[in-house]
Amino acid sequence: MREITLSKAVNEAIAEEMRRDETVFLLGEDVAEAGTPFKVLSGLVEEFGTGRIIDTPISEPGFMGMAVGAAMTGSRPIVDLMFGDFIFLIMDQLCNQAAKTHYMSGGKLSVPLVLRTNMGATRRSAAQHSQSLHALVAHIPGLKVAMPSSAYEAKGLMKTAIRDNNPVVIFEDKLMYQDKAPVPEEEYLIPFGVANVKREGSDITLIGTSSMVQVAEKAAEILAKEGISAEVIDPRTIVPLDEAALIESVRKTSRAIVIDEGHQSYGVTGEIASRLNEKAFYHLDAPVLRMGAMDVPVPFSPALEDLTVPTPEGVAAAARKLCAGEMIHAA
Amino acid sequence: MREITLSKAVNEAIAEEMRRDETVFLLGEDVAEAGTPFKVLSGLVEEFGTGRIIDTPISEPGFMGMAVGAAMTGSRPIVDLMFGDFIFLIMDQLCNQAAKTHYMSGGKLSVPLVLRTNMGATRRSAAQHSQSLHALVAHIPGLKVAMPSSAYEAKGLMKTAIRDNNPVVIFEDKLMYQDKAPVPEEEYLIPFGVANVKREGSDITLIGTSSMVQVAEKAAEILAKEGISAEVIDPRTIVPLDEAALIESVRKTSRAIVIDEGHQSYGVTGEIASRLNEKAFYHLDAPVLRMGAMDVPVPFSPALEDLTVPTPEGVAAAARKLCAGEMIHAA
Amino acid sequence: MAAKAAKPKTNSEDYLRMYRQMVRIRAFEDNANQLYLSAKMPGLTHMYSGQEAVAVGICEALTASDKITSTHRGHGHCVAKGAEFREMFCELLGKEEGYCRGKGGSMHIADQSNGNLGANAIVGGSMGIATGAALTAKLQKTGDVTVCFFGDGATAQGLWYEVMNMAALMQLPVIYACENNGYSEYTKTAEIAAGSLPARAEAFGIESFTVDGQDVLAVNDLTQKLVARARKGEGPFFIELMTYRYHGHHVGDINREYYRAKDEEAQWKTERDPIVNFGKWLESEGLASSDELKSVQDEVHADAEAAVKYALEAKYPDGSEVDMHVYAA
Amino acid sequence: MAAKAAKPKTNSEDYLRMYRQMVRIRAFEDNANQLYLSAKMPGLTHMYSGQEAVAVGICEALTASDKITSTHRGHGHCVAKGAEFREMFCELLGKEEGYCRGKGGSMHIADQSNGNLGANAIVGGSMGIATGAALTAKLQKTGDVTVCFFGDGATAQGLWYEVMNMAALMQLPVIYACENNGYSEYTKTAEIAAGSLPARAEAFGIESFTVDGQDVLAVNDLTQKLVARARKGEGPFFIELMTYRYHGHHVGDINREYYRAKDEEAQWKTERDPIVNFGKWLESEGLASSDELKSVQDEVHADAEAAVKYALEAKYPDGSEVDMHVYAA
Ligand SMILES: Cc1ncc(C[n+]2csc(CCOP(=O)(O)OP(=O)(O)O)c2C)c(N)n1
Ligand SMILES: Cc1ncc(C[n+]2csc(CCOP(=O)(O)OP(=O)(O)O)c2C)c(N)n1
Ligand SMILES: [Mg+2]
Ligand SMILES: [Mg+2]
């Protein structure tokens, strides 16, 4: 199968859906001629014109709000938010408006829009351009949250998102835009709420989101050499969450680590870990461990930044201890 | 000891600190003559004047940003945010600016401010005036988060917050403003990160935040009649979190329920439950259960709204099952 | 662009409909207030009484497929855009037959069938929504115009400036209608708004107008012209409508002399009432007799009472609805 | 109010210092660019080159305790407000001796000792901060003035309108200084800004000025006057400074002909360079010889090189610092 970059995969998904459905349009800063700073959207304006690939001023709350109104009236906007960190600017329109409109109207109005943005540290971009803020959005009922872990997922989830009748937030890892993966030429969609077992194993389950799937896979390789068989699972969407698949895996392996690049406290790892604890309790040989990003603003200095995110070695070390029956904490 | 309302307790705390420290001022909408819609601040403008009790236009991001700048230059602002739901409007200034300034400046700048706002449903105020959004703030490093459970805590935590050199967010339960509790005449402060055992017990630990402490206490009374001895703990601040106290209790009782009025998914209950699971795993006789608000926008209709939040009866029922060894889920 | 135009409101039938619509709003509010005072209504609500000429003058210049966005003080917009009493009272009481199945209540009442995209409990929160609705109209060439209602207090929200800039750049068919009732909660507008409101819109190259919001014909005339121009792609526009709210900020805001003098209230009510004055004009022009007007009022009052009665007896949504409509299928 | 006034800049010593400060900014940026191109600098950065007269003209009208807030394109403001090369380069390289111990980097460089409250990576993100600093000045009667630097693109952020309104109502000693360099990333200002920028400030009753941002004396003259007035409580003010950035939006923005013609760049560089033109003026007025100017340049270049060398060899913060400074004691 051909291999394409995650960036290209996103571009293809949007182009295909825009061809298929005239009501789809995209708006954001420097999305047209510039094709975004990451060049993910290059070429779209040439095909679809500035009427459907719309450059906006630096007005995130404003164009997010416009997308909500457009979505309520028969359009299917894709909002391009240049950095995930800017989500703080649009929280009201996203969480008070988009997320709640369908419910508040008793099902009469709906808001089919996609917010595509990014996440991921270690790009030396410092505290306001490096955050992974998906947990915040996942906490708000009415929003769906997708976290593609490769070009394949990026394309399939984006297409599903565009066809979904709800506000969907997609977090792309900005360090993965150039990563290639096999992506079929033929059309495919990836349903929401269906986890993907990336690697089968029997001793421990490693649940990773976004780029942490790669971290988990690398950790699994390290562990395999030591005779520890790790299963790696990618939930693909955290809302809806394929709880059943995760529980099934953990019931089999009896141990689990949840790995996510958001801050650890009050984030994604706590939710997944506590669901596993709650629903697979009697199958667990050890507590479910969590590995999120450190609870610190992302530092600029490379000497510090690299310490803040989970690494394959760190995950392997934790897995090793869990499998040896040693507890991280004297639990 | 005299009993005063939570509203009065907050008012006293602010007045005392404003008398003590000239750099403290307060700003927000209709805080002066009107004393806020909940009348919590009545009388302050008479004592401190409109120079220190400052009415603003309806510009939440703007006055939050101003508070950050004022705090960076030697003032100690208290920001009054009329409804907790409006926190979505100020997330950038709170989370990208206030929370990160101290860290990003390598410790050179600091942002001593208090954001006082509220939470709590069942007031028939519908989806945009009923949210309990403390989990979002707790996820962001650099912010502290206090959740007073009575007038006593409201006063002591507010005073500590005003003296703290960091941005502190205090969520008051708007349904508790008229609730009275004993509050000493003498000055006292409640340190952050110190949980309070509201009721001792041996069979199960009920951890509640804000008004859920009352819910837990009522559940404990129901359970006591049935011979089940429940310990009730109030963390008082969720950042910093007195993990040690919670763990100690759970090691003793072997069972726990975490009760919080924020949405359950990706919220506070997951964090606390997974810490307990991780660090008290071998002491647990049953999985730690979580009871948050339902993952739905808060509905207006009384017939629906009351179903969305944890109740004493619901907590007692869950506790009963846990203690009987019955799992909620076939874990 | 689909050919569309509201019928010009130049004959007595149209005038009488405007009169009736204003009376309907007033009657709706009087009943809602009564429901609140008698503790039959959950939560609280913000009365539109006094501002009727704004909602009616504007909405009578719109077609059913034109859109509006509304505010926390939204009953008037909802009635004026064509909603029925029954579904509205049911909504205010949290009943299943309400426009939003009781899930929205007063502050989120919407009536999508008549193009009302909903009230909003976030001040200024619908400014982006209105502008986006106009963007759909432009992209899909529907010919629809959107009116964004908001209060003077809402002009303090930065969102407005962001969307005005974009609406101006994209020449969107949206009309920003600021109902300046002199107060933002318990504060006089003058104390929270520096400079001039129309100048703020003009700074973005948006044509701006100020009109007497108590004069339904003046409002309607201006709006008809602007709607026609907006349909031709000459938008956006800004209108400041000078008006007054008769009640407190919300139904519970009773003792309000500390921020607003009783005399001031009395003066607006006796001298500037939009319904009374329009009624007088209809009579003086010989377009309606006082009996005719009286019978309009009686009919409307009877309708309102019947709707209230119906709503009080209607059933609440079933508990199983609580987690329905979180996500659309 | 504490009596404060920047010395009027009317003698050759002051002129030469302004010249030197502009040369220092240019030298800093040339070295920073080189560090980036040679892959010695982590992350990316935005060059201030071309806009030197703005930062210098303004900051020379301020005292050390006056405050500024800066932007993603913030090195110029930092130098102009009094910062040292060493600590700045150390910060850009993520070293412990940087102004922020390496935690902030280019986009968050701050120098609190000279009243620089910091660069900001959120466009417009510091508008509230600047206004709040001015509020402290007013409440505590410090006599300080705050200058809020931001770009033309930042005028699209709603926050600006919110704080202008409040600054105007409270008469705060803040000057909003918009560096209009014609571009917002890869987009011409004209395409993203409707109407007129000064009119937007004026609509809030704020006195507004437009000045040639390539003319350091014009900028300085105007700023001196406004700072003096702001200290007397006559603020806030708005200044639009017409200027140009020589490099791409950020150091990596090399192929930019699709949005900006090479001719245009060449013209600004050859005809409107603020340093060259000011140097010529100094010579023509007999205030400095070309040798004197050359020696200023040489000194500054040597300083910059030494600082770069120092910073390259300086040590990174210890790993244990990673969770320090999350909370203040
Ligand atoms: C973002 C936000 N801030 C504050 C409030 C509380 N609030 C509700 S209505 C109101 C006053 C609005 O004034 P105006 O826009 O003039 O409308 P009016 O009530 O006069 O119709 C305020 C402050 C809110 N609902 N939303
Ligand atoms: C809120 C926000 N939106 C978008 C960006 C990305 N961004 C960084 S600089 C910039 C352009 C800013 O233009 P302008 O204000 O004119 O400043 P200039 O770069 O010209 O100095 C953009 C869009 C950002 N950093 N913050
Ligand atoms: Mg008003
Ligand atoms: Mg610019």
Side-chain angles (χ1 to χ4, degrees), chain C residues 2-14:
Chain C
K4 278 188 193 181
K7 273 190 303 182
K9 301 294 176 309
T10 48
N11 55 49
S12 59
E13 195 186 309
D14 291 326

Side-chain angles (χ1 to χ4, degrees), chain A residues 92 96, chain B residues 29-30 37 56-61 63 81-83 85-87 89 128-129, chain C residues 46-48 51 71-74 77 107 120-125 127 150-157 178-187 189 192 243 245 248-250:
Chain A
D92 178 62
N96 272 336
Chain B
E29 293 153 22
D30 280 320
T56 64
I58 314 176
S59 303
E60 288 83 0
F63 63 75
L81 188 72
M82 198 184 289
F83 282 87
D85 312 67
F86 307 161
I87 211 162
L89 286 160
Q128 294 173 344
H129 278 63
Chain C
H46 308 80
M47 301 279 98
Y48 195 75
Q51 307 186 188
T71 68
H72 59 285
R73 196 176 304 287
H77 312 134
M107 286 206 290
N120 208 306
I122 301 297
V123 166
M127 290 162 163
F150 54 91
D152 45 288
T155 61
Q157 286 281 333
C178 176
E179 302 187 64
N180 190 342
N181 61 9
Y183 294 85
S184 159
E185 266 191 13
Y186 321 114
T187 302
T189 307
I192 50 95
T243 185
R245 63 162 156 80
H249 168 61
H250 56 74

Side-chain angles (χ1 to χ4, degrees), chain C residues 11-90:
Chain C
N11 55 49
S12 59
E13 195 186 309
D14 291 326
Y15 290 152
L16 276 177
R17 194 173 54 248
M18 285 197 240
Y19 182 80
R20 176 185 291 268
Q21 286 291 66
M22 291 201 288
V23 172
R24 288 184 74 229
I25 294 174
R26 183 73 55 88
F28 186 89
E29 295 300 51
D30 287 343
N31 279 278
N33 195 31
Q34 212 41 54
L35 284 169
Y36 176 82
L37 294 176
S38 57
K40 288 184 185 134
M41 203 189 80
L44 52 74
T45 181
H46 308 80
M47 301 279 98
Y48 195 75
S49 315
Q51 307 186 188
E52 293 88 350
V54 174
V56 172
I58 287 179
C59 291
E60 283 288 314
L62 301 175
T63 67
S65 78
D66 286 328
K67 308 287 182 280
I68 64 164
T69 61
S70 169
T71 68
H72 59 285
R73 196 176 304 287
H75 305 162
H77 312 134
C78 196
V79 170
K81 197 69 178 55
E84 302 292 342
F85 279 170
R86 260 201 198 182
E87 285 81 352
M88 284 187 70
F89 280 118
C90 280

Side-chain angles (χ1 to χ4, degrees), chain B residues 129-142:
Chain B
H129 278 63
S130 306
Q131 296 169 85
S132 299
L133 297 172
H134 45 291
L136 301 184
V137 180
H139 184 53
I140 305 303

